[in-house]
């Protein structure tokens, strides 16, 4: 029997949602401050207005839904799924007010793309966007990559039990430290330390490349936030191609790989347990899949002779591939070049890389390496069962922070999520084809959206139909949350209609 | 006096001869040569859009093109050369230009400025071997068409009004909360 959700259950959801909205509102003060500093008065006012709207709504919600109860699993999942939609709507306000987005839907598209660390854009005239709006675009990637709920858990949520349920709902089920609040704060610590180091590295490289100091460090900070959070936004319309710089590409590639690694692994590296890099199933799987997809893409490009030199193959082929595999989406070629200059096999290599993704408990999206590794281990186990004598007991182990015996429940979970992702990629591709795009490019764009990558072959643009924009928004949202929180919303809607 | 001198300037109509067959032949040869040379250069003297260049990169690869756009971002000097990125409203393309030529540029497009609109002529490459496969133009000529300028964004009174209205609502909400607590 399906039970209708009670008002008091919805109140808990409303209360925590309000807290997240309040937290989000305060993040808007940073670009507002930059706007006043750089004498960008109207952009600064855009953020003050957005701050006020978000704060008012958050306060009203927390007041109306005040409760001291902790969250249960359903409520935790609902808070997560709704908070991402709310963040999209509130985050779009300053973008829309800037006048650089054709419609509020377009602003919502870019806001979701930012929070979900995707990187697909509909912004117009990006090269004339204010510093404060540009900072906001990259800041929401930083926030979204860490996790909107992580922000709340770190600073606003008192109850550890409810916090854990929200943490899991945001597609993180690994704890680095015993307490989930400590885990959230550790994730922030890692990110801030890398932010300082990454900004310095990119800033000095920018100056070396001929940029003015303020621009070099501003771009450095923005590019770091988008690279580490495997997002892919850039301050200029040409993306990374704007810089025409090999050192810049190398540094961003390193940052992208760091962002695609499990935060647990960062903890092990920081605490001196560096052997974990070589033993961990995720890093081993990532290395193998990167090698295989790289081989496919590079050999296909070599065949087409578009890049006759090794350095060109590295800067174009390898860069786009690693950008796709880590889920970042940085490009040093124009979107159209995927269609015109790259042959189908090279494009397929990138699609496969995008579809697979990086590590769990990282900033990346897609199926993820732990699941791929588990599926392959399960395959190995089944092959062994066939080959070995019937009476033998086949035990399969894998190493992920510790030695783990492979269980059927783990395999089932990995296969289910993989299947969901593949379905999502396929549905998006069908919608793209419905609007007249060829299969391979529809699949490319759909995979890019659902796997939160952001590489584009040109389908994503302001002129695309609203239905396709909405499709990609939903794909970005579902892909980022890994379905469970999204299914919870659907389940609650069904319960509200059919429940007793 | 002026009229006399005017009459003196004009040639005697009886002295104007129609061109001979030989003269016509020479004019025709010169005309044909000019037309042929124009095509032999394989140059596109009319400015080509970024969309055209990017979408048909293979056709323009290795050819002399003319491209015009607004300088955006900043001029990035690298030794004796510089990178400038020109946005023509449809897209932006990187141009590798002699540092001396780039000195003509005073404004680059941003929130606070409209960049110089310049026209460059040079070799277009869809995958430049010198620059790691970048799609770029190696310019040999740069001409400033329209100078850029600083943009004065005055404070929008509507935004200012909205800020104060929302502030009033926030204030009211805070007062209500304080009253409820008491």
């Amino acid at each position: 029997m399906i039970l209708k959700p009670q008002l008091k259950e919805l109140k808990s959801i409303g209360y925590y949602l309000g807290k997240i909205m309040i937290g989000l509102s305060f993040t808007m003060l940073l670009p507002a401050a930059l706007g006043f500093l750089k004498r960008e008065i109207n952009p600064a006012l855009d953020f003050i207005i957005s701050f006020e709207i978000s704060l008012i709504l958050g306060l009203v919600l927390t007041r109306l839904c005040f409760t001291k109860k902790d969250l249960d699993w359903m409520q935790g999942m609902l808070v997560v799924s709704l908070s991402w939609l709310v963040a999209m709507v509130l985050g779009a306000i300053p973008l829309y007010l800037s006048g650089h987005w054709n419609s509020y839907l377009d602003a919502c598209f870019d806001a979701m793309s930012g929070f979900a660390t995707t990187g697909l854009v509909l912004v117009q005239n990006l090269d004339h966007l204010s510093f404060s709006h540009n900072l906001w675009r990259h800041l929401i990637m930083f926030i979204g990559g860490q996790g909107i709920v992580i922000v709340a858990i770190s600073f606003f949520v008192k109850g550890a039990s409810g916090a854990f349920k929200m943490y899991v709902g945001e597609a993180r089920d690994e704890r680095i430290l015993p307490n989930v609040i400590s885990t959230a704060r550790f994730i922030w610590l890692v990110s801030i330390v890398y932010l300082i180091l990454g900004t310095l590295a990119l800033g000095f490289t920018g100056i070396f490349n001929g940029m003015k100091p303020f621009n070099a460090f501003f771009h450095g900070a923005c590019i770091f936030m988008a690279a580490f959070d495997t997002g892919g936004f850039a301050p200029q319309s040409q993306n990374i191609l704007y810089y025409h710089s090999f050192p810049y590409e190398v540094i961003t590639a390193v940052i992208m790989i760091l962002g695609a690694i499990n935060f647990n692994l960062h903890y092990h590296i920081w605490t001196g347990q560096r052997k974990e890099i070589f033993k961990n199933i995720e890093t081993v799987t990532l290395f193998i899949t990167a090698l295989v997809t790289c081989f496919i893409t590079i050999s296909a490009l070599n065949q087409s002779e578009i890049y006759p030199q090794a350095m060109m193959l590295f800067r174009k082929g390898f860069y786009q591939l690693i950008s796709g595999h880590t889920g970042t989406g940085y490009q040093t070629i124009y979107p159209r070049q995927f269609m015109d200059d790259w042959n189908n096999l090279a494009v397929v290599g990138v699609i496969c890389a995008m579809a697979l993704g990086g590590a769990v408990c990282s900033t990346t999206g897609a199926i993820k390496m732990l699941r791929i590794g588990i599926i392959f281990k399960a395959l190995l186990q089944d092959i062994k069962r066939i080959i070995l004598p019937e009476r033998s007991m086949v035990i399969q182990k894998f190493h992920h922070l510790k030695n783990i015996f492979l269980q059927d429940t783990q395999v089932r979970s990995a296969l289910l999520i993989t299947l969901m992702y593949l379905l999502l990629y396929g549905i998006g591709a069908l919608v793209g084809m419905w609007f007249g795009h060829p299969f391979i490019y529809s699949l490319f764009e759909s995979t890019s959206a659902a796997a939160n990558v952001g590489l584009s072959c040109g389908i994503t643009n302001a002129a695309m139909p609203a239905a396709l924009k909405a499709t990609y928004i939903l794909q970005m949202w579902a892909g980022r949350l890994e379905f469970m929180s999204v299914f919870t919303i659907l389940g609650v809607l069904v319960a509200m209609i059919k429940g007793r | 006096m002026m009229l006399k001198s005017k009459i003196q300037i004009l040639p005697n109509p009886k002295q104007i001869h129609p061109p001979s067959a030989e003269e016509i032949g020479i004019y025709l040869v010169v005309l044909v040569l000019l037309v042929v040379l124009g095509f032999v250069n394989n140059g596109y003297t009319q400015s080509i859009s970024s969309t055209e260049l990017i979408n048909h990169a293979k056709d323009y690869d290795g050819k002399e093109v003319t491209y015009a756009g607004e300088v955006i971002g900043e001029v990035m000097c690298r030794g004796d050369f510089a990178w400038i990125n020109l946005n023509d409203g449809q897209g932006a393309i990187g141009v590798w230009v002699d540092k001396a030529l780039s000195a003509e540029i005073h404004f680059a497009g941003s929130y606070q400025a409209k960049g110089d609109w310049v026209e460059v002529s040079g070799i277009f490459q869809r995958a430049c071997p010198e620059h790691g496969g970048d799609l770029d133009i190696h310019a040999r000529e740069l001409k400033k068409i329209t100078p850029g300028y600083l943009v004065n964004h005055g404070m929008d009174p509507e935004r200012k009004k909205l800020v104060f209205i929302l502030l009033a609502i926030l204030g009211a909400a805070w007062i209500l909360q304080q009253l409820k607590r008491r």
Side-chain angles (χ1 to χ4, degrees), chain A residues 187-243:
Chain A
I187 290 172
W188 274 109
L189 176 66
V190 168
S191 307
I192 301 285
V193 169
Y194 281 136
L195 171 65
I196 295 165
L197 294 172
T199 303
L200 287 172
L202 287 167
F204 285 116
T205 307
I207 292 172
F208 175 74
N209 283 338
M211 294 174 75
K212 295 191 187 81
F214 179 83
N215 286 346
F217 284 101
F218 178 77
H219 281 229
C222 289
I223 296 290
F224 174 84
M225 283 191 277
F228 185 71
D229 288 281
T230 60
F233 278 168
Q236 307 281 160
S237 61
Q238 290 153 282
N239 206 267
I240 297 297
L241 183 59
Y242 169 83
Y243 305 98

Side-chain angles (χ1 to χ4, degrees), chain A residues 63, chain B residues 172-182:
Chain A
R63 190 76 209 120
Chain B
W174 182 80
I175 291 167
L176 273 168
Q177 196 157 15
Q178 296 305 305
L179 289 171
K180 260 196 166 174
R181 274 188 192 163
R182 283 179 197 173

Side-chain angles (χ1 to χ4, degrees), chain A residues 46 97 209 243 316 334 341, chain B residues 70 78 92 126 134 159:
Chain A
D46 289 343
L97 290 174
N209 283 338
Y243 305 98
K316 298 304 169 197
Y334 292 91
D341 294 345
Chain B
E70 181 195 356
R78 312 244 175 118
R126 72 167 169 148
D134 284 1
R159 280 178 165 98

